[in-house]
Amino acid sequence: MRFALVNNERTEAQSGLNGVCPGCSQPVIAKCGHQRIHHWAHVSKKICDSWWENETEWHRSWKNHFPLEWQEIFLPDEQAGEKHIADVRTSHCLIIEFQHSHIKPEERASREAFYKNMVWVVDGTRLKRDYPRFCKGKEYFRPIGEHGFFSVDYPEECFHTAWLDSSVPVIFDFHDNTSADSQKEPLWCLLPGRAGHYAVIMALSYEAFI
């Protein structure tokens, strides 16, 4: 977690601090080493959100594009009897989830069903073959109009299959500081559903999305 309650104030992890988890009210301690991004951890090793996962620099960098008061919003899940931490919830109640690690299809579908009004932002450089696969598949994109929309017959040749059946927009970030080519890429949004048997994809700039 990025934030804990210290004297009832949302506070980022700092060496020597102790706090309380905003979701479950259990004690947490600041972890401020050199191997992982600074964060708060539950003293009891309990994870109060079953969807929680370690945060990366990529993850934190994306969240920093948005106001702090929009980040790490706890939302109650009455059916599961727990709270889930939305990475970002905007002032219009749009949920933005940033996903770097592998996610099981069942969990992806559960998050989409719970948040409903949401989009994914996926790290398109997690696996070495992801960006080369996209570049090869992009050759078959066909423009639709003049507003950055494209259709493609076989989206599985462009994107990881884990995201092809998503019920919400999935935005792929192919920016990689180690690759000059990927830095030229816009964000690519795979829209849910199909137009006939075609997938519809939209190119958008980082600035436009943020």
Side-chain angles (χ1 to χ4, degrees):
M1 293 187 304
R2 179 173 187 171
F3 301 102
L5 297 179
V6 179
N7 297 324
N8 291 321
E9 296 285 339
R10 267 181 30 123
T11 306
E12 295 193 55
Q14 301 176 39
S15 295
L17 284 185
N18 294 293
V20 173
C21 173
C24 64
S25 300
Q26 295 301 307
V28 292
I29 56 174
K31 297 286 188 176
C32 301
H34 300 291
Q35 300 298 319
R36 290 175 52 190
I37 194 168
H38 292 185
H39 64 284
W40 292 95
H42 287 80
V43 173
S44 65
K45 307 301 181 183
K46 172 187 175 183
I47 299 176
C48 60
D49 181 1
S50 60
W51 295 339
W52 177 88
E53 58 191 10
N54 290 332
E55 189 169 74
T56 64
E57 290 286 355
W58 174 87
H59 200 123
R60 182 70 60 88
S61 176
W62 259 112
K63 287 165 66 173
N64 281 337
H65 287 300
F66 301 93
L68 292 178
E69 59 268 24
W70 291 5
Q71 299 181 29
E72 290 194 3
I73 304 301
F74 282 80
L75 300 173
D77 183 344
E78 296 181 359
Q79 184 174 0
E82 60 184 18
K83 294 181 180 180
H84 296 306
I85 311 170
D87 285 335
V88 166
R89 185 177 69 168
T90 74
S91 57
H92 298 286
C93 296
L94 173 69
I95 302 298
I96 307 175
E97 286 283 275
F98 302 103
Q99 191 67 30
H100 166 77
S101 60
H102 170 73
I103 185 171
K104 294 181 179 179
E106 297 81 8
E107 181 177 326
R108 175 190 55 74
S110 294
R111 292 200 205 184
E112 293 170 2
F114 176 70
Y115 291 128
K116 298 181 175 64
N117 182 32
M118 72 165 292
V119 298
W120 293 99
V121 176
V122 175
D123 186 355
T125 66
R126 183 177 70 89
L127 299 177
K128 189 174 182 179
R129 64 182 178 274
D130 284 349
Y131 183 60
R133 173 179 55 198
F134 172 76
C135 290
K136 184 176 180 180
K138 190 171 65 169
E139 297 177 3
Y140 301 99
F141 285 11
R142 294 184 297 276
I144 304 174
E146 300 178 352
H147 301 286
F149 288 89
F150 301 84
S151 66
V152 64
D153 287 332
Y154 303 106
E156 64 273 13
E157 295 185 1
C158 307
F159 306 110
H160 196 289
T161 55
W163 300 102
L164 297 183
D165 296 324
S166 178
S167 63
V168 302
V170 181
I171 296 171
F172 294 88
D173 175 15
F174 290 107
H175 184 273
D176 180 359
N177 290 331
T178 65
S179 171
D181 288 338
S182 72
Q183 293 181 26
K184 302 174 185 177
E185 288 289 351
L187 297 170
W188 291 93
C189 178
L190 175 64
L191 297 176
R194 295 291 181 266
H197 65 279
Y198 302 112
V200 178
I201 299 162
M202 178 177 62
L204 70 163
S205 69
Y206 285 76
E207 294 77 12
F209 172 66
I210 293 167

